[in-house]
Amino acid sequence: MQTVYGQMSDEQLDRVIEQLRDQADQVRSRGLTLDMTRGKPSPEQVAISLPLLDTVDATTDLHDEGIDCGNYGCFEGIPSARRLAGELLGVPSDQTLVLGSSSLLIEYETINMFWLRGTCAHAPWEAYAASHSGRPPRILCPVPGYDRHFAITEELGIENVPIAMTDDGPDMDEVERLAATDDSVKGIWCVPKHSNPSGVTFSKRSVQRLATMRTAAADFRILWDNAYAVHDLYPDCEPLANIFDIAGAAGTQDRVVAFGSTSKITFPGSGIAFVAASRRVLDDISRALKVALISADKMNQLRHVRFLPTLADIRAHMARHAAYLRPRFELVESKLAAGLGASGCATWTHPRGGYFVSFDGPDRTARRVVALCRDLGVRLTPAGATWPGGRDPRDANIRIAPSYPSLEELSDALDVFVLAVKLVAAEQEAAARAESRESPSEAERPSLRKN
Amino acid sequence: MQTVYGQMSDEQLDRVIEQLRDQADQVRSRGLTLDMTRGKPSPEQVAISLPLLDTVDATTDLHDEGIDCGNYGCFEGIPSARRLAGELLGVPSDQTLVLGSSSLLIEYETINMFWLRGTCAHAPWEAYAASHSGRPPRILCPVPGYDRHFAITEELGIENVPIAMTDDGPDMDEVERLAATDDSVKGIWCVPKHSNPSGVTFSKRSVQRLATMRTAAADFRILWDNAYAVHDLYPDCEPLANIFDIAGAAGTQDRVVAFGSTSKITFPGSGIAFVAASRRVLDDISRALKVALISADKMNQLRHVRFLPTLADIRAHMARHAAYLRPRFELVESKLAAGLGASGCATWTHPRGGYFVSFDGPDRTARRVVALCRDLGVRLTPAGATWPGGRDPRDANIRIAPSYPSLEELSDALDVFVLAVKLVAAEQEAAARAESRESPSEAERPSLRKN
């Protein structure tokens, strides 16, 4: 990437760096404490769900279609909640389980089950290495991606294999090649709609290719974390193709395991979470989970279905969320465009939903930008977090999470971010010039031998 | 056990069996559907917790000591809830984690962590077998015990080793012998107060011996499921010694991992669940669980601490629970005493808390009693469930769970149960006599060879 700093004379560059450092000193003296680390809705945004807390009180009938939500039982979730989860994930309700408050925990438990017990009568994933000269099973990880996904598979000893993201979803040529030729490739992590952090929604063609591609592993699983299924910023967002319908038609229905929750619909951390799969895979998951769980919190399921009985109600509610998020995302776009658009220093995504903007600066700058921002009072997701093992080979990608701060705070935080990107890029250019003066390349170096 | 039927003449026995079968036919014709399978409180009993549902509504301040319960964060649980969990389990609040609604799930996750990662820098339990000629790690299981505990360890491939229960807790001579001599013995399951199903509270001496005994395995763990910590039927119940204090004094604090929940304090399945351990073991658990969980449902934690802020409040609430449970347990005692006290057919426990009565009939009758009860319209926990693998070697033990039915239903169910025990015992006596007539022992048999 040729940056604006690369085109400056040494004197110009020194002057710009001096100016940027002065600006940084001024920011530092303000003692800011701003946080853009995580995809958390702002307090005002969370408040739109407060009426949920009034749906169940001491006078409420605690039954849902005959199920007493106030006592043990109904492991699979209450009927109304399963119907809602089915609508959200695109399956009949009997292909869902509605469990506790965390979809991440269900993902962990599901993969733990694949690891320890296997799925659909296939060998446990943990047995793969022993029968294949110690080669661990592998999971494809579209990058930049979600750090917590990568941590789950890494924790079990699965090898995370980075796959580039395109505007249509993961690089499907590479996914198909690896899945078809390498039977250690047991699955792929996906956030198919408004992907974390790129904002990409997988194209219909990508969904079709994922659902129908040849896989060397018979127990290949698409880990379909549809976390942002209804999290559109604009009313005309591209819909996500229904992967269950495509897989069902292709006879690959056991390949897809989908997850979701209401954490960013109602209360983060206090929502209801669910999983959808073929009956066969769902039976695997149920059998394993029933060892550890009598039944989940049905009272919270009841609150949710009383507050948001149908998918239409959820969509109306999400439009109210979008009213808080849209100006924040538009502020990111305008601040980055104004501050860095002509710098040649940066590219970033223009998401139409979800919670993140994915930013790419010059190579070997992301860690320093994040460190400088922190020094200036703005906390960002650690650089590298969007890559397996926290290792972004280019050290270029930063996840911007604009949802939590107020617009005013966000504006300040983005100014700091833009300043930090500029300063680090300019300093990198200066350092490169200094280095090339001290150790010129072979071509430029006077030949000492000939003397 | 010499039964009343063993003392009858053949004619008397035949007559009694005929009478009992007539009674069974009459019961069968009533088409009862009664359920004593699980330790569930009755709907009326659950209703005493309904005011909890009014503690948080749309107008409530959702902060607990600075923590916003309506958003992500605070993985370890809100401060008030940790304090309450600490009071309940007998540790400072910083030795607790308050998580979701199921203590069983925390138990599973904890043991899964021991299995996959190990604890306190020791090797993972799963690695034990590979380095010990395939011998799996073992867990001591006091019997009769809790089927779901045994299922968790069995699921992972751990060998469950039955240990007899005494009136003071597990047979400590045997526990000490196995723990000291066998380094595959990695721990012991305990329900130390009002044990499931025997109702035994471990004596102070047993708690001391568990906390201080020599263990061949350096990573031996006491899985202390204090599920019935405050579930006394009478105000003068024997207290449980604080195992953390004893272990702390003996330097074995990393040995104890305690679990609990409010499932039988507030709403079964919708309570809050917690774990307590040394800081070191708690760090192990946190590190593993943070991979899978951002934060648990803090809103439900808030409801709980607003409803029951202190241990004293919990104790007052539990006295109201006892008012529902006590008459049921006293009915079990009186019905069994009246129906079977003089039969020589049965012994049973006389719990002063918890949710169960443990019943022992003649050997080789429990399965048939449970089957007959089911045939007569009364569902019981499957015979054998109180033993690892569902295999009670004597086929004698049955768990009676009297909490859910109304007193009237319970009375009917106990009449059926007493009838079933009598009929199966009498039929067993008759079958034994018939067998002994058909195949007399060597001594009684005429010598055919000499003819």
Side-chain angles (χ1 to χ4, degrees):
Chain A
M1 210 183 296
Q2 172 69 325
T3 73
V4 68
Y5 307 112
Q7 296 157 2
M8 291 180 180
S9 68
D10 287 355
E11 293 68 29
Q12 283 176 312
L13 184 60
D14 287 346
R15 202 161 49 243
V16 162
I17 288 176
E18 200 177 323
Q19 286 166 354
L20 292 169
R21 283 182 182 161
D22 282 349
Q23 290 174 37
D25 288 341
Q26 285 164 33
V27 169
R28 199 178 284 107
S29 69
R30 289 174 63 194
L32 298 173
T33 51
L34 301 169
D35 193 330
M36 291 201 294
T37 51
R38 282 282 158 196
K40 287 169 68 163
S42 65
E44 302 71 36
Q45 187 187 336
V46 170
I48 69 172
S49 297
L50 286 174
L52 176 146
L53 301 176
D54 290 335
T55 57
V56 171
D57 66 20
T59 67
T60 307
D61 175 8
L62 298 178
H63 289 77
D64 179 75
E65 303 182 20
I67 300 295
D68 180 0
C69 297
N71 216 324
Y72 289 123
C74 200
F75 163 85
E76 62 278 10
I78 66 175
S80 301
R82 295 180 82 194
R83 214 157 38 232
L84 193 64
E87 282 193 78
L88 246 167
L89 294 178
V91 293
S93 63
D94 68 349
Q95 280 182 239
T96 68
L97 297 175
V98 182
L99 297 165
S101 59
S102 165
S103 55
L104 197 71
L105 190 58
I106 307 178
E107 291 161 24
Y108 175 80
E109 287 158 349
T110 300
I111 297 166
N112 196 58
M113 182 273 286
F114 294 161
W115 181 257
L116 288 174
R117 304 174 56 126
T119 169
C120 296
H122 294 289
W125 287 4
E126 99 173 311
Y128 184 88
S131 56
H132 291 80
S133 329
R135 271 204 309 150
R138 311 171 88 195
I139 289 282
L140 307 181
C141 299
V143 286
Y146 181 34
D147 53 352
R148 293 182 187 273
H149 283 166
F150 305 156
I152 287 176
T153 32
E154 180 179 328
E155 158 84 6
L156 286 169
I158 295 170
E159 184 188 338
N160 288 322
V161 180
I163 296 288
M165 275 292 274
T166 74
D167 290 347
D168 286 327
D171 175 348
M172 282 307 304
D173 290 344
E174 185 67 0
V175 170
E176 283 176 345
R177 190 185 65 77
L178 286 165
T181 56
D182 181 351
D183 74 355
S184 75
V185 173
K186 292 294 192 183
I188 182 168
W189 278 117
C190 297
V191 182
K193 190 158 182 202
H194 304 311
S195 195
N196 174 355
S198 66
V200 166
T201 294
F202 292 15
S203 69
K204 184 169 184 195
R205 181 79 191 112
S206 294
V207 177
Q208 272 170 331
R209 289 173 74 178
L210 279 167
T212 59
M213 67 187 179
R214 210 178 78 70
T215 65
D219 53 352
F220 186 97
R221 294 288 174 265
I222 299 171
L223 306 166
W224 199 248
D225 184 358
N226 207 345
Y228 307 105
V230 289
H231 302 59
D232 299 343
L233 292 176
Y234 301 92
D236 59 343
C237 280
E238 184 193 5
L240 176 69
N242 185 325
I243 193 168
F244 286 102
D245 289 348
I246 299 169
T252 58
Q253 59 278 354
D254 293 340
R255 182 183 294 183
V256 187
V257 192
F259 308 93
S261 85
T262 66
S263 260
K264 281 168 189 134
I265 297 174
T266 60
F267 293 105
S270 303
I272 56 174
F274 23 87
V275 54
S278 71
R279 284 293 330 160
R280 196 164 172 222
V281 172
L282 213 63
D283 284 348
D284 281 341
I285 297 173
S286 300
R287 211 176 306 118
L289 257 184
K290 275 183 174 170
V291 169
L293 185 69
I294 298 169
S295 51
D297 183 346
K298 297 187 296 296
M299 210 77 96
N300 204 32
Q301 296 177 16
L302 189 65
R303 271 182 212 102
H304 276 77
V305 295
R306 296 268 164 98
F307 182 52
L308 299 169
T310 68
L311 186 55
D313 297 309
I314 289 184
R315 290 201 189 280
H317 189 65
M318 295 313 291
R320 299 188 58 201
H321 279 296
Y324 288 86
L325 293 169
R326 211 165 34 231
R328 287 170 166 79
F329 278 85
E330 290 174 354
L331 185 61
V332 174
E333 177 60 36
S334 64
K335 284 278 184 186
L336 295 184
L340 299 168
S343 72
C345 283
T347 59
W348 57 90
T349 58
H350 317 284
R352 300 182 50 78
Y355 268 73
F356 305 102
V357 172
S358 179
F359 176 93
D360 279 300
D363 288 2
R364 299 180 309 284
T365 61
R367 279 173 204 281
R368 286 171 57 213
V369 167
V370 170
L372 178 55
C373 281
R374 185 169 192 130
D375 178 42
L376 301 181
V378 175
R379 293 184 57 213
L380 296 165
T381 309
T386 52
W387 280 71
R391 290 176 300 272
D392 171 3
R394 288 178 46 215
D395 185 25
N397 186 250
I398 295 174
R399 184 179 80 165
I400 297 176
S403 53
Y404 189 78
S406 69
L407 274 170
E408 204 167 38
E409 292 167 332
L410 181 62
S411 178
D412 282 349
L414 288 164
D415 287 341
V416 172
F417 179 74
V418 165
L419 170 63
V421 172
K422 285 178 171 174
L423 180 51
V424 169
E427 287 179 337
Q428 174 164 282
E429 174 65 26
R433 291 183 190 183
E435 197 181 342
S436 106
R437 275 192 297 270
E438 280 164 29
S439 56
S441 70
E442 283 299 327
E444 297 164 29
R445 195 182 296 166
S447 175
L448 300 174
R449 295 250 174 92
K450 287 192 181 159
N451 271 355
Chain B
M1 210 184 292
Q2 172 66 326
T3 72
V4 67
Y5 308 112
Q7 294 156 4
M8 290 180 180
S9 68
D10 288 355
E11 293 69 30
Q12 283 175 311
L13 183 59
D14 287 347
R15 202 161 49 243
V16 163
I17 289 175
E18 200 176 324
Q19 286 166 355
L20 291 169
R21 284 181 178 159
D22 282 348
Q23 290 174 36
D25 288 342
Q26 285 164 32
V27 169
R28 198 178 285 106
S29 68
R30 288 175 62 193
L32 298 172
T33 50
L34 302 169
D35 193 331
M36 290 201 294
T37 50
R38 283 281 159 195
K40 287 169 69 163
S42 65
E44 301 71 36
Q45 188 187 336
V46 170
I48 69 172
S49 296
L50 286 174
L52 176 147
L53 301 176
D54 290 335
T55 57
V56 171
D57 66 22
T59 68
T60 305
D61 175 8
L62 298 178
H63 288 79
D64 179 76
E65 302 181 21
I67 301 295
D68 180 0
C69 298
N71 216 323
Y72 288 123
C74 200
F75 163 84
E76 62 277 10
I78 66 175
S80 302
R82 294 181 82 194
R83 214 157 38 231
L84 193 64
E87 283 193 77
L88 247 167
L89 294 178
V91 293
S93 62
D94 68 351
Q95 281 182 239
T96 67
L97 297 175
V98 183
L99 297 166
S101 59
S102 165
S103 55
L104 196 71
L105 190 58
I106 306 177
E107 292 161 24
Y108 175 81
E109 285 158 348
T110 300
I111 297 167
N112 196 59
M113 182 271 285
F114 294 160
W115 182 256
L116 288 174
R117 303 175 58 125
T119 169
C120 295
H122 294 288
W125 287 5
E126 91 170 320
Y128 184 88
S131 56
H132 291 81
S133 329
R135 269 203 309 151
R138 310 170 89 196
I139 290 281
L140 307 182
C141 298
V143 285
Y146 181 34
D147 52 353
R148 292 183 188 271
H149 282 167
F150 305 156
I152 286 175
T153 32
E154 181 179 326
E155 160 84 6
L156 286 169
I158 294 170
E159 184 187 337
N160 289 322
V161 180
I163 297 287
M165 275 292 273
T166 74
D167 290 346
D168 286 326
D171 175 347
M172 281 308 303
D173 291 344
E174 185 67 2
V175 169
E176 284 175 343
R177 190 184 66 77
L178 286 166
T181 57
D182 181 352
D183 74 356
S184 74
V185 173
K186 294 292 193 183
I188 181 168
W189 278 116
C190 297
V191 183
K193 192 158 181 202
H194 306 311
S195 195
N196 174 356
S198 66
V200 166
T201 294
F202 291 16
S203 70
K204 183 168 184 196
R205 182 80 191 112
S206 296
V207 176
Q208 274 170 330
R209 291 172 73 178
L210 279 167
T212 59
M213 67 187 179
R214 212 178 77 70
T215 65
D219 54 352
F220 186 97
R221 293 289 174 263
I222 300 171
L223 306 166
W224 199 248
D225 185 359
N226 207 346
Y228 307 105
V230 289
H231 303 60
D232 299 343
L233 293 175
Y234 301 93
D236 60 343
C237 279
E238 184 192 4
L240 176 68
N242 186 325
I243 194 168
F244 286 102
D245 290 347
I246 299 169
T252 58
Q253 59 279 354
D254 293 340
R255 183 182 293 181
V256 187
V257 192
F259 309 93
S261 86
T262 66
S263 260
K264 283 169 188 133
I265 297 174
T266 59
F267 293 105
S270 303
I272 57 174
F274 23 89
V275 54
S278 71
R279 284 293 330 159
R280 197 166 173 220
V281 172
L282 214 62
D283 284 349
D284 282 341
I285 297 173
S286 300
R287 211 176 306 118
L289 257 183
K290 275 182 174 172
V291 169
L293 185 68
I294 299 169
S295 50
D297 183 347
K298 297 187 296 297
M299 211 76 98
N300 204 32
Q301 296 177 15
L302 189 66
R303 270 181 213 104
H304 276 78
V305 294
R306 297 269 165 100
F307 183 52
L308 299 169
T310 69
L311 186 56
D313 296 310
I314 289 183
R315 289 201 189 281
H317 190 64
M318 295 314 290
R320 299 186 59 200
H321 278 298
Y324 287 87
L325 292 168
R326 212 163 34 231
R328 286 170 166 79
F329 278 85
E330 290 174 354
L331 185 62
V332 174
E333 177 61 35
S334 65
K335 284 279 184 185
L336 295 184
L340 298 169
S343 73
C345 284
T347 59
W348 58 91
T349 57
H350 316 284
R352 300 183 51 77
Y355 268 74
F356 305 103
V357 172
S358 178
F359 177 92
D360 280 301
D363 288 2
R364 300 181 308 284
T365 61
R367 280 174 204 281
R368 285 171 57 213
V369 167
V370 171
L372 178 55
C373 281
R374 184 168 193 131
D375 178 43
L376 301 181
V378 175
R379 293 184 57 213
L380 295 164
T381 309
T386 53
W387 280 70
R391 289 174 302 272
D392 171 4
R394 289 179 46 214
D395 185 25
N397 186 251
I398 294 173
R399 184 179 81 164
I400 297 176
S403 54
Y404 189 78
S406 68
L407 275 169
E408 204 168 38
E409 291 168 333
L410 181 63
S411 177
D412 282 349
L414 289 164
D415 287 340
V416 172
F417 179 74
V418 166
L419 170 62
V421 172
K422 284 179 171 174
L423 180 50
V424 169
E427 286 178 338
Q428 174 162 284
E429 174 64 27
R433 290 183 191 182
E435 196 181 341
S436 104
R437 275 191 298 269
E438 280 165 28
S439 57
S441 71
E442 284 298 326
E444 297 163 31
R445 194 182 297 165
S447 171
L448 299 173
R449 295 246 176 93
K450 286 193 178 159
N451 269 356

